[in-house]
Amino acid sequence: MSRLQARDVVRSYGPTPALRGVSLDVADGEIVAVTGPSGCGKSTLLHCLAGILRPDEGAVRWNGERIDTWPEAARSRLRRTEFGVLFQFGQLVPELTAAENVALPLLLAGTGRREAGRAAGEWLDRFGVGHLADVRPGAMSGGQQQRCATARALVTGPRVIFADEPTGALDTLSGEEVLTQLVQLAREQGTTIVLVTHEPRIAAYADREVMLRDGVVDPTGLGLDETLVPLPAAGPGTDPR
Amino acid sequence: MSTSHVLLGLLAAGNRHGYELKRAHDTRLPRAKPLAFGQVYATLGRLQRDGLVVTAGQEREAGPDRTAYALTDQGRAALAGWLAAVEPPMPYVTSALFTKVAVALLVADLNAARSYLIAQARAHTDRLRELTAVKTAPSTTLDDVVAVDYAVAHLDADLRWLRTTLARVADWHREVHP
């Protein structure tokens, strides 16, 4: 059985439905891209899977347990320990240095200051930004900030990384470098990644792509209007339309 | 791609024999259409005939004689000329993909054209994933990454075209068969 599972998840924002019954199974160590056009519900699905949002209906399971029914404190603990979350931007605490930002999840989880600082330094080094350990986010480029944020998402050794358009705010080369490093480290450590993106070339980093359209999984897998999918073979002389 | 110019370029770094040229070609242009040894020697023969390379001694190791080749001044000038010439950016709109959809609309129905576009988009998506995996493999070299980047950018552009054309194909069909 897959460790991470969504079953018939429904979620609305007021009267607006975002997810209209989505099921997804993610295997251990698998990298899955959730794609689709703007407003298709892909970020909402990621937030439900990561326990940030609670579905209105349906279930989200981690290790066979329904985490969607857990209280916020328990889901928050899960996000500090077994899950890592990475967004497009605005994730680093501006008042803290790179090293302090990366050490933060460890400190919150009860790791000693010295050990947290050592681990933060190591992870910054792995993402090629060790020299920025004492620099605050405001003095870094977008790519450098995203490398720090990625290091912070990985520092606790999470089983799953939830990444929502993680390269959306970066230029092509920086985006590719961050993603390549993230995927390499995930493969090395058997970490699962759920990656939300609207770009086919970013989705191609995943083992598999699940496309959403209007809050449901797109059966065509190509983000096509269903009316564009070939009809059953028409007889001779029949208008294919 | 001009094999002649690639060989001239490889010789610009120093004299080499055919086997070394083939090896250097495969390293510098990974994932290119395979270059046969026969093609290397045939091309060297033509370059020598045209005065662009000359033989530069032979060495005998354990195996057969190996003739090394050197770039001549004329060869160096030909290489510089080729490198300086801008390639015409897509002088003709020609591609197997585009042609096949146009012909499918002429001879078959709308569904056949759509089926082809969808099957091709799936094949492109699969290839995009396969090549992207090369970029994250631990043993990847920058030669690989640059070659794969080129292919990925073109596959990505083709995919956008395939999707746009799927949305336009019904109107196009009406224009072809009024």
Side-chain angles (χ1 to χ4, degrees):
Chain A
M1 194 190 75
S2 60
R3 288 239 269 174
L4 182 64
Q5 198 179 58
R7 275 292 167 275
D8 306 315
V9 168
V10 173
R11 181 63 157 84
S12 299
Y13 297 102
T16 313
L19 296 176
R20 299 186 293 133
V22 173
S23 295
L24 176 69
D25 287 88
V26 184
D28 252 3
E30 193 179 22
I31 302 181
V32 178
V34 180
T35 63
S38 301
C40 69
K42 54 190 188 296
S43 289
T44 304
L45 177 62
L46 180 129
H47 282 69
C48 287
L49 284 168
I52 298 167
L53 280 179
R54 272 179 143 156
D56 299 329
E57 289 171 42
V60 176
R61 290 191 178 83
W62 167 247
N63 275 339
E65 284 191 62
R66 273 193 70 168
I67 59 168
D68 56 290
T69 56
W70 287 6
E72 170 53 29
R75 284 182 283 128
S76 174
R77 192 161 50 245
L78 186 66
R79 290 197 301 274
R80 283 201 306 268
T81 53
E82 297 196 65
F83 291 174
V85 187
L86 191 58
F87 296 110
Q88 191 169 340
F89 40 50
Q91 323 162 60
L92 297 176
V93 183
E95 293 79 14
L96 301 183
T97 65
E100 288 165 345
N101 263 288
V102 176
L104 195 58
L106 291 174
L107 295 172
L108 289 172
T111 307
R113 190 162 287 276
R114 177 178 293 193
E115 172 54 23
R118 189 197 56 75
E122 253 180 51
W123 278 97
L124 286 170
D125 278 343
R126 292 177 91 158
F127 279 93
V129 283
H131 61 292
L132 300 174
D134 298 326
V135 174
R136 289 193 170 77
M140 296 181 207
S141 70
Q144 289 167 339
Q145 287 185 37
Q146 198 62 341
R147 283 183 176 82
C148 293
T150 312
R152 192 177 67 174
L154 286 162
V155 73
T156 54
R159 301 300 311 145
V160 188
I161 296 278
F162 295 94
D164 192 354
E165 303 275 8
T167 62
L170 304 181
D171 62 79
T172 309
L173 184 58
S174 304
E176 297 237 335
E177 283 174 357
V178 168
L179 206 52
T180 299
Q181 281 176 318
L182 176 64
V183 168
Q184 278 175 341
L185 285 165
R187 295 224 189 275
E188 217 176 276
Q189 309 197 342
T191 312
T192 304
I193 300 181
V194 180
L195 170 69
V196 162
T197 178
H198 67 280
E199 290 185 70
R201 58 190 294 177
I202 299 298
Y205 279 86
D207 302 316
R208 155 170 92 91
E209 187 173 340
V210 175
M211 187 167 280
L212 297 186
R213 193 179 168 82
D214 298 331
V216 291
V217 173
D218 180 346
T220 72
L222 288 169
L224 302 173
D225 187 324
E226 279 175 59
T227 60
L228 296 178
V229 175
L231 307 165
T238 314
D239 182 354
R241 287 289 286 178
Chain B
M1 188 197 70
S2 158
T3 305
S4 308
H5 291 110
V6 173
L7 295 188
L8 291 177
L10 293 171
L11 285 171
N15 302 353
R16 299 186 203 222
H17 48 70
Y19 178 76
E20 287 174 329
L21 285 169
K22 151 80 179 152
R23 291 279 304 270
H25 167 274
D26 293 352
T27 305
R28 290 278 91 88
L29 299 171
R31 288 157 215 288
K33 198 172 157 192
L35 175 66
F37 279 111
Q39 206 181 338
V40 174
Y41 291 109
T43 307
L44 284 170
R46 277 196 301 277
L47 292 172
Q48 189 177 8
R49 179 200 65 199
D50 296 341
L52 304 180
V53 302
V54 288
T55 56
Q58 288 195 328
E59 62 181 72
R60 178 189 281 274
E61 286 174 3
D65 282 347
R66 287 177 173 188
T67 306
Y69 291 84
L71 205 56
T72 62
D73 287 344
Q74 200 185 332
R76 210 169 286 279
L79 178 62
W82 180 72
L83 287 176
V86 171
E87 292 292 325
M90 203 176 270
Y92 303 105
V93 181
T94 171
S95 129
L97 265 63
F98 169 62
T99 307
K100 202 174 270 196
V101 181
V103 173
L105 279 182
L106 276 179
V107 302
D109 63 13
L110 182 56
N111 276 347
R114 281 179 178 157
S115 294
Y116 164 67
L117 284 164
I118 288 170
Q120 191 66 58
R122 294 217 161 98
H124 264 61
T125 305
D126 290 347
R127 182 68 175 146
L128 189 61
R129 181 166 298 126
E130 200 177 292
L131 286 170
T132 302
V134 172
K135 292 167 73 160
T136 56
S139 57
T140 292
T141 63
L142 200 52
D143 284 312
D144 274 323
V145 171
V146 174
V148 165
D149 273 346
Y150 182 83
V152 162
H154 284 77
L155 285 168
D156 191 45
D158 277 352
L159 265 170
R160 284 169 209 270
W161 179 81
L162 286 163
R163 286 178 186 192
T164 312
T165 305
L166 259 164
R168 287 188 169 141
V169 75
D171 289 340
W172 192 12
H173 186 260
R174 275 192 285 275
E175 198 176 290
V176 174
H177 301 280

